[in-house]
Amino acid sequence: MKDRKNEILVIYGKEYGKMTRRLLEEADLAAQIGDRKKRIGIKPNLVSPVPPSDGATTHPEVVESLICYLKDHGFENLVIMEGSWVGARTEEAFKVCGYRKLADKYGTELRDGQKERSVPVDCKGMKIDVCACALEVDFLINVPVMKGHCQTRVTCALKNMKGLLPNKEKRRFHSMGLHKPIGHLAAGIRQDFILVDSICGDLSFEDGGNPTSMDRIFAAWDPVLCDAYVCRLLEYRTEEVPYIGIAESLGAGSTDLDHAVIRELNLSESQAGLPDRDKVMRLSEAVNEVDSCSACYGYLIPALDRLDQEGLLKDFPEKICIGQGYKGMTGTLGIGSCTKDFTHSLKGCPPTETQIYDFLKEYLAGTGRLEAGRH
Ligand code: SF4
């Protein structure tokens, strides 16, 4: 079988089911998998219970087309597996994002990573607890969403594997600064094929709300090459996303786009937008962040965006502290239970975007700057 690790196949359009089918046929996926008895894992991104049109979760049309293709080629032992981020329930995400319906329609197994037992895996020098379901498959198909991320800049193939960790391990990843453990995880969970939903990902926030219409799906075999390509599409240098280089150094793939074969199966009708990096950078200037979880920080930034749009963020009187690094410390203004010893702290692990927005607005009112901020 030809090694296709250096290939990326790209297709554009609005008929997501048909586009997926065409990609899978071009990739000759059935032949790549081989034995029809293999257990095939499908890993979408269902970070939280929001519909795919919000730009955070994998479109079920893509996964449905993948299931149909696999069944048409005689593969029946299929399992969809995912664990939403800390603070959201996967079961709810399965329902809201259309995966419960899909599983019922095709008799496909659904596994909730938040309810799985975990198994310690040696990921090239770092022990990581991984959901058992991820280790029980013979062939893993990753179906991430190409998105921006307010802590790591981008999220796609490599970071999507974090959904196959128990919540406790997800938190530990954040306490280690994300990049190093994500890089190591690539050495512990092998991805055999990647089908990227680049239909309308939010290019600033991981949990959506600002979808950017791109109408694109692409396929890759190498998760490192896939994420390097994502950096190119979003005009980041690969070095700006350190976990990609770490994964490469551990042998999980190659960032060598110069020797990649990138084949577009048709032409793009629309030009993808780029993330509003300046906005995220500007909003984050109001924050002191130390090892915060994705959900906590991911809810804080949109809440700050709302305050900013109301003219309330300018001259905010205090830095807003967030993250596991503030556990046991004192300070003035903090978000999340990790800052419970602060003078003003919002409880919750994580608190929601609306709770953060209301809390900060109330705090501003208490300082007498609410009216001043409006001018
Ligand atoms: S409160 Fe702390 S532990 Fe909880 S989600 Fe936020 S940063 Fe993570």
Side-chain angles (χ1 to χ4, degrees):
M1 183 70 55
K2 186 181 155 208
D3 182 2
R4 303 186 67 171
K5 281 258 176 204
N6 70 334
E7 277 188 57
I8 295 176
L9 305 177
V10 190
I11 193 164
Y12 303 93
K14 289 192 181 295
E15 293 182 288
Y16 310 132
K18 282 188 185 164
M19 289 156 62
T20 302
R21 183 80 183 203
R22 169 119 192 259
L23 273 180
L24 298 174
E25 279 163 2
E26 285 286 336
D28 200 10
L29 184 64
Q32 308 266 325
I33 302 171
D35 186 351
R36 276 22 186 189
K37 290 198 186 69
K38 278 187 180 169
R39 182 164 172 78
I40 300 170
I42 299 171
K43 165 65 176 78
N45 183 333
L46 306 177
V47 59
S48 60
V50 292
S53 54
D54 274 15
T57 52
T58 305
H59 286 71
E61 300 95 310
V62 174
V63 174
E64 179 168 21
S65 182
L66 172 62
I67 291 172
C68 290
Y69 170 88
L70 292 169
K71 283 184 171 276
D72 289 349
H73 286 81
F75 298 99
E76 291 293 338
N77 194 356
L78 313 178
V79 52
I80 298 173
M81 47 199 190
E82 169 63 318
S84 297
W85 70 4
V86 177
R89 283 178 53 241
T90 316
E91 268 306 327
E92 183 71 10
F94 281 151
K95 205 165 121 203
V96 171
C97 303
Y99 286 77
R100 171 58 59 201
K101 212 167 137 196
L102 207 57
D104 291 346
K105 184 172 173 188
Y106 294 98
T108 307
E109 197 183 330
L110 272 185
R111 294 278 282 266
D112 176 351
Q114 291 177 331
K115 295 179 181 163
E116 282 279 311
R117 73 183 168 88
S118 62
V119 178
V121 175
D122 179 9
C123 300
K124 292 245 168 112
M126 183 181 287
K127 188 176 78 61
I128 297 176
D129 284 340
V130 173
C131 295
C133 59
L135 307 172
E136 291 165 0
V137 297
D138 302 305
F139 194 94
L140 180 58
I141 302 174
N142 186 10
V143 199
V145 179
M146 184 184 98
K147 289 183 284 186
H149 189 279
C150 47
Q151 289 163 295
T152 60
R153 299 186 197 279
V154 303
T155 169
C156 195
L158 291 166
K159 193 172 167 299
N160 196 36
M161 288 298 109
K162 197 164 149 275
L164 295 175
L165 306 177
N167 279 353
K168 198 170 153 225
E169 194 63 302
K170 285 182 189 144
R171 284 200 182 96
R172 192 172 74 101
F173 264 45
H174 287 271
S175 73
M176 290 190 282
L178 280 179
H179 288 284
K180 195 170 171 198
I182 292 172
H184 276 265
L185 185 59
I189 302 181
R190 195 191 71 243
Q191 306 179 34
D192 297 289
F193 186 70
I194 305 132
L195 193 55
V196 178
D197 175 339
S198 177
I199 293 170
C200 65
D202 184 326
L203 300 182
S204 299
F205 305 120
E206 187 190 8
D207 73 326
N210 308 277
T212 299
S213 180
M214 292 167 279
D215 292 328
R216 171 177 50 207
I217 303 173
F218 57 95
W221 284 258
D222 175 346
V224 177
L225 190 71
C226 176
D227 283 6
Y229 179 60
V230 167
C231 286
R232 178 188 279 182
L233 288 174
L234 300 181
E235 297 189 1
Y236 288 111
R237 285 177 293 111
T238 307
E239 304 79 62
E240 291 182 88
V241 186
Y243 66 72
I244 301 174
I246 296 170
E248 181 179 42
S249 71
L250 296 172
S254 166
T255 57
D256 186 3
L257 284 168
D258 291 342
H259 293 96
V261 178
I262 300 170
R263 201 151 53 89
E264 294 185 317
L265 304 184
N266 61 2
L267 292 176
S268 165
E269 284 170 14
S270 63
Q271 195 60 43
L274 290 172
D276 187 350
R277 296 181 212 173
D278 290 347
K279 182 168 84 175
V280 175
M281 288 297 291
R282 190 166 41 76
L283 295 174
S284 64
E285 276 168 17
V287 181
N288 277 340
E289 185 265 336
V290 185
D291 303 336
S292 63
C293 301
S294 299
C296 228
Y297 199 68
Y299 287 139
L300 172 63
I301 295 292
L304 295 182
D305 191 24
R306 283 168 69 182
L307 291 172
D308 190 44
Q309 283 174 30
E310 293 173 34
L312 299 174
L313 196 58
K314 199 164 75 63
D315 304 326
F316 207 83
E318 308 291 342
K319 284 276 190 185
I320 303 158
C321 298
I322 187 167
Q324 298 177 65
Y326 287 104
K327 272 185 189 164
M329 291 176 68
T330 54
T332 306
L333 183 60
I335 299 296
S337 301
C338 289
T339 63
K340 69 179 173 48
D341 297 326
F342 278 44
T343 314
H344 302 273
S345 169
L346 174 63
K347 286 196 186 69
C349 183
T352 65
E353 178 188 323
T354 303
Q355 287 168 340
I356 296 173
Y357 168 81
D358 290 343
F359 167 77
L360 291 176
K361 211 161 168 177
E362 219 169 274
Y363 175 78
L364 274 178
T367 61
R369 300 184 197 221
L370 194 53
E371 287 311 312
R374 289 210 166 94
H375 301 292

